[in-house]
Amino acid sequence: MKISKQTNFVGSTPMGTELSILNYEIDSEKAGKHIYIQSGIHGGEITQWILHELFSFLKANLQQGKVTLVPCANPVSWTQRVYYSTNGKFDFYMGKDWNRNFPGNADGSMGERIAGILFGNAQKADFALDLHTSRESIPFGIYSRPEYEDILKIIGIKYNQFIDMRNASAYANTLNACLDSVGVPNLCIECGSHDAYEEKNIHEVMEGIKRLLASFEMIDKKQCTPAPAEIKTFAKTVKYTAPKGCVLLLAKPLGSKVQNGDDLFYCYDNNELGTKETVKSKHNGVLFKASPTHIYWSGDDVVQLLLDEDTRTIATAA
C-alpha cells in the first residue's frame, strides 16, 4: 500500500499567497481500476465528511487498483465567506458557477485554471465521482447517459436525476459533461444539504461508494451492505416559489411523499400579524429539495418536487 499527496499549483492571490489543490492517492500497488473522487468544487458544500471516512476505510481495505481523493477541489470558493456563511456556488469575480469552467484553460481565468487541473487529473481515471450538496436535500444521483443506470443500480442511491448534458447547453461545461466527451464514465452525487452534517445521508453515500469499489473488485464485497432492491430515476421536477415576501415554514420534512392538495409551506406576512397563508401542492411527488432559509422575497425558490408521473423504478441486482 502506497499513500501519497500531490500538490497542484493553481496561481496566487494579489498578496502573493500561493493557491494549490491537494490530491491524495491511495495505491494498493496491485493492478486494477483507478477511481477519481472529487469534493468541494463549490465552497460550503461539505462532502468531506465522506472523504475522511473513505480515506480511513481505503487504508485498511483497498485490495487492488488505486483511488484519487480531492477533498477541496477549489481553493478560492472556500474563501468566499460572509459572516458565518461560506458562499461558494458562484465565482464572485466572474459571476459564474464554478462548475461551468471545464475542461479548463491553463492561461484562462482562475476558475478555468482550477478546472483545467481537476479535469486533467480526472480524465486519467477509469471512473469519476463528483460529490456535491444541494441547498437542503435528500441524497440523489445525477447521471448524464442512460448507460450509467447500470452503475446507479450498483451504488443504490434511492433517487437519481437524468440530465441529458449533450443537449442541454447549461451543463456543457460541467465536469460530468466534459468527462463524457473524453469517454470517462462518471456520476455526480448530491450528498445531502449545504453546510450540514447529516449522519444518515453520509452513511447512504458512503455505502454506495463502497458498493461501487466492490463491483470493480477493489475491495471485498463483504465490506459493504447490499444495495436496496430498487432505485428510482426522474428527469422532471417542479418548483414552488414564495407568493410574497415573508417568513416561511415547510409543512413536510424532506423526502416526504406529497399528494395533490397537501400543504407544502406556510407564509407568515409581517403586514398581517397573526395570520398565515398556506401554499398547497398541485402535484403528486416527493419533496426532495428546499432552500435553506426561512426568509423569502416574492418569487424566491422554496421547494422542488420530483414528480410521480415522471418517476421510474428500476430493480437492482440485490
Side-chain angles (χ1 to χ4, degrees), residues 4-10 18-24 117 121:
S4 59
K5 296 181 182 180
Q6 300 167 352
T7 300
N8 304 274
F9 175 74
V10 175
E18 292 189 354
L19 300 172
S20 60
I21 299 169
L22 181 65
N23 293 0
Y24 288 75
I117 289 171
N121 288 327

Side-chain angles (χ1 to χ4, degrees), residues 32-47:
K33 297 288 188 180
H34 176 197
I35 308 301
Y36 174 92
I37 304 177
Q38 174 179 300
S39 167
I41 186 69
H42 293 135
E45 295 189 2
I46 305 179
T47 51

Side-chain angles (χ1 to χ4, degrees), residues 10-12 91 93-94 96 98 101 103-117:
V10 175
S12 57
D91 179 343
Y93 177 67
M94 300 293 290
K96 188 176 183 179
W98 287 107
N101 290 300
N105 179 355
D107 298 315
S109 68
M110 181 59 74
E112 291 171 331
R113 291 169 187 243
I114 290 168
I117 289 171

